Amino acid sequence: MNYTGFSLFVLSGSSLAAISKRGSLSRSSISWLGAPLVAFFLTIWPLVSSVHAVEDAGKVGVVSFGLFGDQGVFRSEATGAAQVVAGRFRTGPINVEYNSKKGGNATIEALTRSLQAAANRLDAEKDVLFLILTSHGSPDGLAIKAGRHTETLTPSRLSNMLAKTGVRHKVVVISACYSGVFIPRLANPDVLVITAADANHPSFGCQDKAKWTYFGDAFFNVALRKAVSLKDAFLDARSLVRKRELREHFEPSNPLMAGGADVLPLLVGRP
């Protein structure tokens, strides 16, 4: 976006004093014109700054996997979440995979390849790798089911996969029961981890015909569409989830956010 015209307008305001010395405008006229000009500048400048911040931000590479094929909600959530992230940030590579009752490509092997392929198209220091995983979960990890194929993605396995990408800054959002088990192995200043539940509780909303889980709806579909930052989106989503659980008499899932101190400044959303 080119702001040359805006800059010239602001600079013309500084020439009012010179004009008054030549007698073209009175001091009262300058005061009358100056106030609206200052008000305009103060109104528009935050917008200009935010646009330049977005232009200077690194790219976000998105990998989104719906891992459990027996219920369509995980396919829908993986697809919808990737679309929301792509709409909020300056994105690079985007890859969405999901499983069905007949099969699919959202396996551990495919996830390894997808993460590395995305990493190869990102700047290892400047850009951010954004991973979204949605499935059923247990204290052991995430359930993967593609037709008859089943396996479990453990926290240690995912940690190793992410480390091998070579990308420094990462975001991992896991929408699953007991997903807090991933935080101790993944979260650090360079890796922001957001989970739908803590390590000891289930999350909710995994109905087959649903478009989102409770957490996916609150975080991606509602909060992230309007929040200034991922932290704000998480806080809003946690409140929305808690209200819904209370309303439906469910035990709290306790969504969590950990790590990411060096990642959050790189994630500048579109105004």
Side-chain angles (χ1 to χ4, degrees):
M1 184 175 293
N2 190 337
Y3 285 94
T4 303
F6 170 73
S7 298
L8 290 174
F9 178 77
V10 173
L11 289 173
S12 67
S14 65
S15 66
L16 290 176
I19 294 173
S20 68
K21 289 180 180 178
R22 294 195 298 267
S24 300
L25 288 174
S26 67
R27 191 175 301 276
S28 61
S29 298
I30 297 169
S31 177
W32 180 80
L33 288 172
L37 182 61
V38 171
F40 173 80
F41 179 80
L42 293 176
T43 300
I44 199 67
W45 181 249
L47 300 179
V48 176
S49 299
S50 65
V51 170
H52 281 296
V54 172
E55 292 175 346
D56 293 339
K59 294 184 297 184
V60 176
V62 182
V63 175
S64 186
F65 272 43
L67 299 173
F68 200 85
D70 284 0
Q71 291 167 297
V73 65
F74 301 116
R75 169 184 176 175
S76 176
E77 182 158 285
T79 303
Q83 291 173 344
V84 172
V85 172
R88 286 309 317 273
F89 302 104
R90 177 172 173 251
T91 48
I94 301 174
N95 185 38
V96 179
E97 300 285 355
Y98 48 80
N99 295 324
S100 70
K101 294 178 181 179
K102 296 181 179 180
N105 296 317
T107 62
I108 290 178
E109 182 180 356
L111 180 59
T112 303
R113 292 196 305 267
S114 182
L115 288 170
Q116 195 58 58
N120 291 342
R121 296 173 59 188
L122 297 173
D123 184 303
E125 289 295 323
K126 181 180 179 181
D127 297 337
V128 178
L129 181 58
F130 199 120
L131 174 62
I132 303 162
L133 299 173
T134 176
S135 182
H136 290 297
S138 73
D140 294 325
L142 297 177
I144 297 175
K145 193 170 191 300
R148 295 182 179 180
H149 175 79
T150 61
E151 55 187 341
T152 299
L153 177 59
T154 64
S156 59
R157 184 74 177 270
L158 182 57
S159 177
N160 291 335
M161 292 163 60
L162 290 170
K164 290 179 181 179
T165 64
V167 177
R168 176 182 173 184
H169 301 105
K170 309 175 193 73
V171 175
V172 182
V173 181
I174 305 177
S175 178
C177 297
Y178 308 100
S179 44
V181 298
F182 284 84
I183 285 179
R185 293 302 302 264
L186 302 183
N188 61 56
D190 289 333
V191 182
L192 176 68
V193 183
I194 296 174
T195 64
D198 62 22
N200 302 306
H201 290 90
S203 55
F204 304 99
C206 299
Q207 292 85 355
D208 188 31
K209 302 298 182 181
K211 291 186 177 181
W212 301 92
T213 64
Y214 285 13
F215 180 79
D217 183 45
F219 182 74
F220 291 107
N221 192 37
V222 178
L224 190 56
R225 291 186 188 274
K226 60 184 180 180
V228 175
S229 68
L230 281 181
K231 182 177 180 180
D232 290 340
F234 171 77
L235 294 174
D236 289 345
R238 184 175 63 180
S239 177
L240 291 171
V241 168
R242 182 62 184 129
K243 289 177 182 178
R244 189 169 183 177
E245 290 169 342
L246 287 171
R247 187 167 63 247
E248 300 184 15
H249 307 290
F250 289 144
E251 188 175 358
S253 54
N254 300 322
L256 298 175
M257 182 174 75
D262 295 334
V263 182
L264 287 171
L266 302 177
L267 293 165
V268 181
R270 302 177 191 271

